[in-house]
Amino acid sequence: MRAFLLTTAFVALLAACSPPAQQTERPDTPPGPTTVACNDVTPDAARQVAVGEEVVTAAAAADLRGGSIAPGTYDLTTASRIGAATGWSGTRAVALEVSEGQNGGVTFNVASAETGRATDRWTATFTEAPQPRLAYTCGRMGEVAADFAAQSNALQLRLQDGAGGQLALQFQRRS
């Protein structure tokens, strides 16, 4: 009996020290891609703006003389493509949230909604020196030149488009 108990204890000890059996089961659905939301800004769907075409002289860019951009949320009031811009088209609602960023820059959080499409969101750091530029930090890549004019409740932006044109955007601050 003693031999039987020792054999049983030895077998139990070996079973306890053995690695667990490999699991071959896989989850029913593999994890999907992670969607990163750059911000939680919400465009006002009642403020749809049709993107137009604009013929602009070189002097018009000089009219954008900078200024102090007030923090807050702005809604797009007009949008135009200039030159060979291939960017925005159609009708959309756009909200721009401006906040003071670190290191003296300004952070732009943008949300753009076209009817029937998912909201497009991006974040960028706006700097004025040595030249006004947007450096995208989420939702887009790279940097673009920018001209701007800021008043107490309005902001005009002229952004370079990848195709060699520009987008002229005018925003009104929400009250």
Side-chain angles (χ1 to χ4, degrees):
M1 176 83 170
R2 189 176 213 198
F4 176 74
L5 286 175
L6 282 173
T7 305
T8 306
F10 182 73
V11 171
L13 179 64
L14 283 177
C17 292
S18 299
Q22 294 279 337
Q23 292 185 356
T24 57
E25 289 184 35
R26 293 185 177 203
D28 292 338
T29 57
T34 302
T35 302
V36 176
C38 295
N39 59 62
D40 61 358
V41 177
T42 303
D44 183 349
R47 293 182 172 247
Q48 296 287 322
V49 173
V51 179
E53 299 288 332
E54 185 175 327
V55 177
V56 177
T57 64
D63 292 342
L64 299 178
R65 295 191 172 106
S68 179
I69 302 173
T73 302
Y74 294 76
D75 291 302
L76 184 68
T77 57
T78 64
S80 301
R81 295 185 312 179
I82 302 168
T86 59
W88 293 358
S89 61
T91 301
R92 65 184 60 226
V94 180
L96 164 66
E97 180 184 74
V98 176
S99 61
E100 294 180 3
Q102 298 174 359
N103 303 325
V106 174
T107 300
F108 286 176
N109 285 303
V110 176
S112 174
E114 291 181 77
T115 304
R117 296 187 129 176
T119 301
D120 178 33
R121 298 177 190 279
W122 54 266
T123 298
T125 301
F126 177 77
T127 54
E128 293 182 55
Q131 297 174 357
R133 299 193 70 70
L134 278 180
Y136 297 109
T137 58
C138 183
R140 305 254 188 295
M141 294 175 32
E143 293 185 13
V144 295
D147 292 305
F148 75 103
Q151 296 85 32
S152 61
N153 289 321
L155 176 62
Q156 294 178 351
L157 293 173
R158 186 162 296 135
L159 305 175
Q160 287 298 129
D161 180 91
Q166 297 176 327
L167 291 172
L169 309 171
Q170 294 186 26
F171 295 88
Q172 186 69 39
R173 192 167 180 211
R174 286 183 185 170
S175 42

